[in-house]
Amino acid sequence: MGLDHFCVGRAGDFFGDAIAGDLMVLAGFHGSSLHYHDPIELVSVLAERGFGCLAIQPRRGLLDPFAGTEAFDRLIHVATEHGMQLVIDLDAPFYDDPRRYQWPSFLEPHSRSAQHAGQSSAADRLQRWVQWIAEKDWRPAALTFSTGRANETDNFSTTAHQAILDSLVEQLQPVLELAQRLAVSLALRPAAKHAIATVAHFERFCQWIDGGGELGLAADVGEMLLGGEIPIGARLARMQHKLSCVYLCEPEMTDGRDISFGGGDIDFARVWAAIAESGFKGPAVFRALGQGQQGLALVDQVQAILSAGR
């Protein structure tokens, strides 16, 4: 039985009634999983399958609102027509610098890579996105980002906690205040070996920063697995009041890709059920980075998972 069993009307009307009464979770799919497909065409394809959210990463020169292209505007227009919410995932490989895989670290605002060719800091870039979104008569479900590393070896647990938190506050406080004024939803994605590496680190950071209640959590199930935050479902349920979105994925430990849905150790049907039972009503986005050659078979795998969880 397909995903349409749970859907009524337009994309986004996804009801997990067989899982958790009338509680609603928005089924999402990550465009990076289908990187051979046009993200604008994916909106209609996924909407027809009952998905209510598409997560996208900006792409240098292609899906880039600051490069003079109109692709992002067209994507917003098509998504709006289909009742599809968008999540903007700023952890986009090689987007800010063709020589650098990752988004620059908030703890290296004046690093050599940032200074190269007059590039701005991570905080400046995040602020630029917030301002661009505010200029549109539209809002994404969330604008997600990660903190980056302090350096190649340090992370939250091995560096002085207060120094890390103070540095992050200095970088992020002005951006959070701006986002709050402009009604743009920001969500931090904890990532392994980053300054904020786990959901537990995120909880502490929210207590540290002024206005921490306005900062959402973009929980990455794969990163939670790497951080030993098990059971995943129970932790997500406890944090549902902070969740802006959930990335449902399982990393391949050897090469940085994600494993195909259902091909690893995570029982996504149980995680989905736990999210639904928690009362979370935002997007839960399935991601299989590096599996794009499978095409829409990945969507079939997700539909099978959701059917199994009913």
Side-chain angles (χ1 to χ4, degrees):
M1 184 176 295
L3 185 65
D4 56 339
H5 174 77
F6 300 101
C7 300
V8 178
R10 305 176 70 199
D13 294 332
F14 182 95
F15 292 89
D17 56 336
I19 297 176
D22 294 329
L23 299 180
M24 182 169 61
V25 184
L26 192 65
F29 204 89
H30 204 301
S32 68
S33 309
L34 298 169
H35 63 271
Y36 296 115
H37 289 66
D38 182 346
I40 297 174
E41 292 178 349
L42 279 179
V43 170
S44 60
V45 171
L46 293 173
E48 290 171 358
R49 301 255 190 147
F51 288 86
C53 178
L54 172 65
I56 50 93
Q57 291 175 325
R59 294 179 62 183
R60 192 176 185 85
L62 297 174
L63 196 59
D64 185 353
F66 309 114
T69 66
E70 298 180 353
F72 230 115
D73 287 337
R74 290 191 290 117
L75 176 63
I76 292 172
H77 176 73
V78 172
T80 301
E81 283 188 330
H82 285 81
M84 177 81 72
Q85 293 192 33
L86 296 178
V87 168
I88 301 178
D89 176 6
L90 291 183
D91 290 313
F94 304 108
Y95 169 65
D96 292 279
D97 186 336
R99 297 165 294 275
R100 183 166 180 162
Y101 181 84
Q102 294 180 322
W103 171 277
S105 173
F106 282 87
L107 300 180
E108 298 175 344
H110 306 297
S111 65
R112 293 179 182 178
S113 61
Q115 292 175 343
H116 181 76
Q119 293 176 3
S120 56
S121 71
D124 291 336
R125 297 180 189 194
L126 181 59
Q127 178 172 310
R128 189 183 186 193
W129 274 95
V130 170
Q131 292 172 327
W132 175 79
I133 289 171
E135 293 172 359
K136 305 291 178 181
D137 187 20
W138 164 86
R139 291 292 186 272
L143 178 66
T144 76
F145 66 98
S146 58
T147 61
R149 304 183 184 192
N151 57 48
E152 290 301 313
T153 57
D154 289 345
N155 62 32
F156 188 99
S157 60
T158 59
T159 318
H161 292 187
Q162 184 169 339
I164 286 180
L165 294 175
D166 286 344
S167 181
L168 288 176
V169 168
E170 180 183 1
Q171 292 291 306
L172 282 173
Q173 187 75 63
V175 186
L176 280 175
E177 292 174 356
L178 176 67
Q180 184 176 359
R181 289 198 307 271
L182 298 178
V184 176
S185 175
L186 288 180
L188 177 60
R189 184 181 73 91
K193 298 183 179 180
H194 282 209
I196 303 298
T198 66
V199 172
H201 296 168
F202 170 83
E203 289 185 88
R204 183 180 180 194
F205 181 60
C206 285
Q207 297 172 358
W208 198 268
I209 191 168
D210 291 338
E214 302 299 327
L215 179 62
L217 170 64
D220 186 313
V221 167
E223 298 292 347
M224 292 177 70
L225 180 67
L226 291 175
E229 297 193 291
I230 298 173
I232 291 172
R235 287 178 178 266
L236 289 178
R238 181 168 59 87
M239 290 298 297
Q240 67 87 19
H241 64 290
K242 293 293 295 180
L243 284 178
S244 293
C245 70
V246 180
Y247 290 125
L248 295 166
C249 53
E250 182 168 0
E252 168 58 60
M253 301 299 184
T254 58
D255 58 13
R257 299 185 302 168
D258 293 328
I259 300 172
S260 295
F261 304 115
D265 297 326
I266 296 180
D267 187 339
F268 285 110
R270 292 185 62 184
V271 174
W272 181 272
I275 295 171
E277 290 167 357
S278 75
F280 178 58
K281 298 182 180 181
V285 179
F286 287 86
R287 191 195 75 202
L289 182 65
Q291 299 293 338
Q293 74 278 6
Q294 295 190 49
L296 296 180
L298 293 169
V299 180
D300 295 335
Q301 293 169 15
V302 172
Q303 290 183 307
I305 289 170
L306 295 176
S307 295
R310 60 180 298 272

